[in-house]
Amino acid sequence: MGGPLEQDVLSLAWEGRLDPQGRAHDVKRVDGPENTTEVDRLAFPLLDHLFPALDAPRTMSPGDTWTEVLSQPLPSRLTIQGLEATATRVTRTLTLQRVRGREAVFEVSLQYEADPATPPKAPHTTCTISGSGKGMAVFNLDDGVFVRASMPGEMVIAIEAPLRRLPGQPEGQDPGTATTTIPMSMTLS
């Protein structure tokens, strides 16, 4: 990559604290570039959702599962009118596979769908999100936090939106709609 953006990212630093469930609290940026316009366009909000978060201590046996549902931003903001705030809802199911030493290893299943809290805001515009994935996450029993994860997934974004009126097209004539499908492969690790 190189260049100023790489240096800006390398200069970023945050402080905060982790609770016993591995959730970050009181997080604040303590160092970084003065102008964050380019850095703010990166997918840092995805990092907040990388690791699963336990809502309470659990006693589990191999084969036991728990499910968490979370809203997260798309890896990149959509620039189609009415879809700028679109987010995805991720259902993450963790199944305890085994305990090895002081680590618990979980299989992670992912399901993606459009977040109903961020519907399209323009008429005649639709956005559907689908997809799934399988991966793993490792929980450290001594520290009470997830320490490793690899969650590959496939997400498909299907969009239908009105076309703009072309120059020379008669006023009042419906320019129609267009559809596009964006397949994405990603691995959060």
Side-chain angles (χ1 to χ4, degrees), residues 5-167:
L5 181 58
E6 181 178 5
Q7 293 306 313
D8 287 349
V9 170
L10 290 172
S11 71
L12 293 170
W14 291 266
E15 287 182 353
R17 63 180 180 82
L18 292 176
D19 67 14
Q21 286 75 42
R23 292 181 293 244
H25 295 280
D26 306 322
V27 176
K28 63 181 178 184
R29 188 165 46 204
V30 294
D31 198 8
E34 286 185 32
N35 181 351
T36 62
T37 304
E38 288 299 311
V39 171
D40 291 341
R41 294 178 55 199
L42 299 174
F44 283 112
L46 287 174
L47 297 177
D48 292 337
H49 303 291
L50 174 61
F51 290 112
L54 294 171
D55 53 0
R58 296 180 181 267
T59 301
M60 298 181 74
S61 300
D64 289 351
T65 66
W66 97 84
T67 299
E68 63 178 352
V69 178
L70 52 125
S71 177
Q72 67 183 36
L74 292 173
S76 182
R77 184 176 67 86
L78 296 176
T79 57
I80 297 167
Q81 182 179 355
L83 299 178
E84 300 88 353
T86 299
T88 184
R89 184 163 62 183
V90 180
T91 301
R92 191 162 37 193
T93 302
L94 289 94
T95 304
L96 179 61
Q97 296 297 301
R98 65 188 172 281
V99 175
R100 132 185 109 196
R102 298 302 300 156
E103 293 184 331
V105 179
F106 291 87
E107 177 184 88
V108 182
S109 297
L110 305 168
Q111 291 291 321
Y112 298 107
E113 63 184 333
D115 185 347
T118 60
K121 301 214 183 315
H124 311 294
T125 303
T126 62
C127 179
T128 59
I129 299 174
S130 61
S132 62
K134 281 199 180 290
M136 56 77 67
V138 177
F139 186 82
N140 183 293
L141 297 170
D142 293 326
D143 295 332
V145 295
F146 283 92
V147 293
R148 285 188 310 282
S150 177
M151 293 175 273
E154 302 286 328
M155 181 188 298
V156 178
I157 302 172
I159 299 168
E160 183 174 2
L163 293 169
R164 294 186 186 122
R165 192 171 59 83
L166 297 172

